[in-house]
């Protein structure tokens, strides 16, 4: 009965076998049939973050995996060195926004697919933008960007009164990453599987050379390059900042590094190495990107349709010596600041928004300064841009309790810069606020609701 | 055209100019350009492969539009090979792309000599019978071959090459060649001139750990009858000895020495992997020997004579806390020894070449140098003929996989992937390929798989009903995401084979798209 609907002359000839036929090794929600196929086409909305090596592949893979509503966000423009793997771009596209060209090329070839490009920074988008998607797929090469999207997606997660995640608020993410012949793909179901932050140790910070080594005891070509880049540049070009994308700047660093290397008898300084060290270039090839993106796209299809089990939860691929793949089931950090139930803060009803923001700076788990505060969809205070700051400034003097419509408890999202010293970065945190006195009186009501 | 150096920058950082040159010289033949084949070639074309020849006899149908990015609405009814080839050419104008509208099976049956013109053949979506025939053809013509197949949520990749020797295997983690427990005379002398008891604290904290360890090891040997630490206790004590030499707590060089002390404890001489290569019968060379084996023969002589049981020195040292002067001089010392070792090996290579009647200079200095530098990491991969694996797999391995939970799904897919080919030979269709008769297909596939297993001498009851059902559900579907994965794996292996860098996979890679617990099976 089910099978009779599969048509061999249809565009979805192959995909139909997976979506229309029942199976035993499938997800718990799997309901095979044409309805499922049509729903995927009509209702599933997928955001691809990054339109680079992984992003190009992901858009193609998703467009050919039954999805029709795709969006892609990327702030970069196409460079010549992208062309060895970012197959949607041609030489004549160099300088164009990646997101726009990638979206256009896929739509040209796969009819029926609609891809909306967003040529901007991920931080520029409102939270609502991200909340609209069924699944967010990440094709990024930066830890910071992953961390940000992870926090946004986890921010949508709500917990019930038993601290169990509310299923409808789980925003699934699929994340991929590659380096040379190696890569990883992972599935993040916030609240259910570990989020990016739960296993942040998988991405150890890059080791920097101590400045005294660069200045006093250089030994390698990289030391000479970093000396020219980090110390000599500022000495010579007072006030002019170094631009890694300016070939003249790069050439200057290269020549200075070469001079220094000659002085100390150190071999190996080349222009290519100079670029590699200064820009921290990660080698990248088409094949690895293809493998990792395909794994991510397949998982996206499985999460959206239930047509098979999902990866649980972290896949590594290593093709350096033979071929090794491994699936690791990492566990959630129940105290995770990002995907956990949130940091609990108890406040007097008299605490003003300004006092609350000041408290965030001293809170040991937050250490957040310059915070903006949102409750539900409403901006209570925006630290930037100036126009919004001015518009929300008047709230600072008002009690937070009143700004939250005298609700005894609530979830507050704060964004600001956190961390210590030069490791500060923008971040988003979820707080669970309860007001003293009212909270207690209302417990029964909340329980009965 | 873009400056190729900039365009290929991100990959040149992996395989260098030599690897790139090898790719640009290679000619690849693709059999069947469904998504699996097309995606394999796409990754190679982007990287600047020399030339491609796409062989496919089919015309583009509606179904192809749903799984292959390289065909589009306007290609309907046209030769698939032509459309795919045109798209691939668009990706990189430096690649010579052509197509042949012909069914691969016909070529295999009627024109076996066709394949000898290629460096490597990528054969996708072939059934068992054609695979076996093509394998024989390529093996006889000395053409590298790689099979790739996507089938529902599974698939496989299998290399077939008689022998693939790798000099630049570039492993991620490999013990440095520092000779801390076996220093050559110049290193010994260099160490003697460094005073670990210097009263200058700045000098003391800038003595590289190589020197600290060579010295400490020597002292230890002197007081222990020539032996080095071997027991757990002794090793701990050795570290304490180093610690006692510290004069301040911030001496990174001593901390590094303690951390690196395991390099002193490492065994001397060559590894068992290298020994196996030296003992290979191919190392007894005659006029037909390849350059690689000639060099192995020279290496063997070197190790037995000048090397004193060691391979030629690699000649590089890792970065470590040190004064610039000591570090640079130490580096020069290692390089000088490596150069001296190389010259000896080179002479031996020339002598052997002469002895077997070849031009003594037919192997270049650069190649011999690279061989010496990588002597400890040489790798030789050999692949069975696929027919041999199909007819007589390594039974103990197969039985182990069948009973090992980690492997059960992968080996199940392996058997079923073969069973569907038997099925199609018998019934002219793959199980579940067309609508209707699913229940009958399931029971027929089960019978086929069980008889296949018993032909191999195994018990068929290990295959689960669920997996058999699943295989029928797939109905030979070629899903784009699975094809992109399989094609990605195949292209990565092609790159390793052609650049002769890194180590290609051994055995058969079975993709498990259900939970990604894919496996390599050595059968
Ligand atoms: Zn978390």
């Amino acid at each position: 009965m089910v099978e009779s609907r599969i048509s061999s002359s249809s565009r979805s000839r192959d995909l139909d076998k997976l979506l229309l036929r029942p199976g035993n090794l499938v997800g718990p929600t799997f309901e095979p049939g044409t309805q499922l196929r049509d729903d995927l086409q009509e209702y599933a909305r997928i955001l691809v973050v990054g339109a680079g090596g992984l992003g190009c592949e992901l858009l193609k893979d998703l467009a050919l995996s039954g999805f029709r509503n795709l969006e892609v966000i990327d702030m970069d423009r196409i460079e010549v060195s992208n062309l060895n793997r970012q197959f949607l771009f041609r030489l004549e596209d160099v300088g164009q926004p990646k997101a726009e060209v990638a979206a256009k090329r896929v739509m040209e070839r796969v009819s029926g697919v609609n891809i909306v490009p967003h040529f901007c920074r991920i931080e520029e988008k409102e939270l609502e933008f991200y909340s609209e998607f069924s699944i967010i797929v990440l094709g990024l090469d930066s830890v910071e960007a992953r961390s940000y999207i992870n926090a946004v997606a986890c921010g949508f997660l709500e917990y019930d009164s038993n601290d169990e995640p509310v299923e409808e608020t789980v925003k699934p993410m699929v994340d991929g990453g590659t380096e040379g012949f190696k890569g990883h793909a992972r599935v993040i179901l916030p609240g259910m599987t570990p989020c990016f932050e739960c296993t942040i140790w998988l991405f150890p910070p890059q080791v920097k050379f101590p400045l005294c080594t660069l200045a006093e005891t250089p030994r390698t070509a990289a030391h000479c390059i970093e000396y020219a880049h980090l110390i000599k540049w500022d000495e010579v070009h007072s006030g002019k900042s170094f631009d890694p994308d300016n070939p003249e700047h790069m050439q200057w660093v290269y020549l200075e590094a070469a001079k220094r290397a000659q002085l100390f008898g150190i071999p190996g300084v080349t222009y290519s190495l100079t670029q590699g060290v200064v820009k921290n270039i990660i080698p990248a090839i088409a094949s690895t990107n293809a493998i990792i993106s395909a794994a991510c796209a397949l998982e996206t299809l499985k999460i959206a349709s239930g047509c098979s089990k999902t990866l649980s939860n972290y896949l590594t691929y290593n093709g350096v010596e033979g071929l090794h793949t491994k699936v690791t089931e990492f566990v959630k950090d129940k105290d995770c600041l990002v995907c956990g139930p949130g940091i609990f803060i108890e406040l007097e009803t008299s605490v003003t928004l300004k006092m609350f923001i000041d408290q965030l700076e001293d809170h040991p788990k937050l250490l957040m300064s310059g915070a903006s505060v949102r409750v539900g969809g409403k901006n209570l205070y925006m630290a930037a841009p100036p126009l919004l700051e001015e518009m929300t400034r008047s709230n600072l003097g008002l009690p937070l309790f009143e700004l939250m419509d005298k609700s005894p408890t609530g979830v507050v999202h704060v964004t600001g810069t956190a961390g210590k010293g030069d490791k500060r970065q923008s971040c988003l945190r979820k707080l669970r606020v309860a007001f003293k006195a009212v909270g207690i009186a209302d417990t029964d009501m909340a329980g009965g609701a | 055209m873009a400056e190729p150096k900039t365009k290929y920058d991100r990959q040149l950082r992996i395989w260098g100019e030599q690897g790139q040159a090898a790719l640009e010289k290679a000619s690849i033949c693709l059999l069947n350009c469904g998504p699996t084949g097309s995606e394999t070639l796409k990754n190679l074309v982007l990287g600047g492969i020399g030339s491609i020849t796409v062989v496919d006899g089919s015309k583009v149908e509606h179904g192809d539009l749903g799984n292959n990015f390289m065909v589009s609405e306007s290609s309907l009814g046209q030769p698939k090979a032509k459309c795919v080839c045109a798209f691939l050419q668009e990706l990189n104008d430096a690649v010579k792309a052509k197509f042949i509208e012909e069914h691969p099976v016909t070529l295999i049956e009627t024109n076996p000599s066709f394949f000898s013109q290629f460096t490597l053949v990528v054969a996708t979506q072939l059934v068992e019978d054609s695979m076996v025939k093509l394998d024989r053809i390529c093996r006889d013509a000395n053409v590298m071959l790689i099979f790739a197949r996507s089938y529902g949520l599974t698939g496989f990749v299998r290399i077939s090459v008689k022998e693939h020797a790798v000099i630049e295997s570039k492993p991620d983690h490999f013990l440095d060649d520092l000779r801390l427990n076996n220093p050559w005379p110049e290193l010994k002398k260099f160490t003697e001139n460094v005073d670990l008891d210097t009263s200058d604290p700045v000098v003391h904290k800038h003595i590289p750990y190589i020197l600290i360890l060579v010295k400490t090891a020597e002292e230890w040997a002197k007081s222990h009858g020539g032996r080095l630490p071997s027991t757990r206790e002794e090793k701990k004590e050795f570290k304490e000895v180093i610690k006692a030499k510290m004069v301040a707590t911030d001496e990174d060089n001593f901390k590094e020495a303690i951390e690196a002390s395991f390099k002193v404890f490492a065994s001397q001489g060559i590894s068992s992997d290298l020994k196996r290569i030296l003992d290979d019968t191919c190392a007894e060379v005659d006029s037909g020997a390849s350059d690689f084996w000639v060099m192995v023969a020279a290496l063997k002589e070197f190790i037995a004579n000048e090397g004193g049981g060691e391979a030629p020195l690699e000649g590089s040292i890792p970065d470590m806390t040190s004064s610039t002067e000591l570090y640079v001089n130490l580096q020069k010392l290692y390089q000088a020894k490596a150069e001296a070792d190389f010259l000896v090996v080179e002479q031996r290579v020339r002598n052997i070449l002469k002895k077997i009647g070849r031009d003594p200079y037919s192997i270049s200095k650069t190649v011999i140098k690279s061989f010496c530098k990588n002597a400890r990491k040489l790798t030789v991969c050999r692949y069975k003929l696929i027919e041999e694996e199909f007819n007589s797999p390594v039974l103990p391995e197969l039985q182990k996989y069948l009973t090992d939970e980690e492997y059960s799904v992968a080996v199940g897919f392996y058997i079923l992937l073969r069973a569907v080919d038997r099925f199609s030979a018998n019934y002219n269709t793959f199980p579940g390929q067309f609508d209707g008769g699913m229940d009958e297909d399931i029971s027929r596939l089960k019978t086929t798989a069980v008889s296949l297993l018993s032909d191999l001498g195994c018990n068929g009851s290990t295959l689960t009903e669920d997996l058999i059902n699943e295989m029928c559900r797939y109905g030979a579907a070629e899903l784009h995401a699975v094809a992109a994965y399989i094609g990605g794996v195949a292209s990565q292996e092609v790159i390793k084979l052609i650049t002769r860098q890194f180590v290609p996979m051994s055995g058969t890679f079975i993709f498990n798209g259900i939970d990604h617990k894919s496996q390599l099976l050595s059968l």
Side-chain angles (χ1 to χ4, degrees), chain A residues 150 154 159 188 190-191 193-199 331-340:
Chain A
N150 179 68
C154 292
Y159 282 83
I188 298 175
T193 68
C195 82
F196 183 69
E197 222 63 43
C198 288
T199 55
V331 290
K332 205 169 65 137
D333 172 4
K334 65 178 185 353
D335 293 327
C336 178
L337 282 181
V338 179
C339 71

Side-chain angles (χ1 to χ4, degrees), chain B residues 137-206:
Chain B
I137 294 168
C138 289
R139 192 61 69 99
D140 290 345
N142 208 13
V143 171
M144 295 191 273
L145 173 61
I146 183 160
F147 295 107
R149 182 146 181 210
S150 310
Y151 196 106
L153 290 176
T154 184
F156 68 85
V157 179
R158 162 74 146 82
I159 293 172
S160 186
V161 178
K162 188 174 177 213
E163 180 185 288
H164 179 74
V166 191
I167 296 173
E168 294 178 75
S169 61
K170 299 186 174 178
D172 262 346
H173 306 283
F174 207 85
L175 191 61
D176 313 295
D177 193 11
L178 299 180
R179 307 284 161 91
L180 301 176
N181 53 17
N182 190 13
W184 66 97
E186 287 80 6
L187 177 58
K188 239 185 204 160
K189 204 163 143 226
F190 190 91
T191 312
E192 278 160 20
N193 294 332
V194 174
D195 182 10
L196 280 193
D197 303 322
T198 172
S199 56
D200 184 335
V202 177
V203 171
H204 196 261
K205 67 190 269 192
H206 285 99

Side-chain angles (χ1 to χ4, degrees), chain A residues 85-110:
Chain A
R85 61 198 186 282
Q86 300 176 15
F87 76 102
L88 295 172
F89 309 142
R90 309 284 173 266
L91 190 55
E92 58 270 24
D93 301 324
V94 169
Q96 300 291 315
K98 288 185 177 180
E100 290 171 9
V101 177
K104 188 180 88 166
R105 287 280 143 72
V106 175
M107 284 195 288
E108 276 167 10
R109 295 200 72 86
V110 186

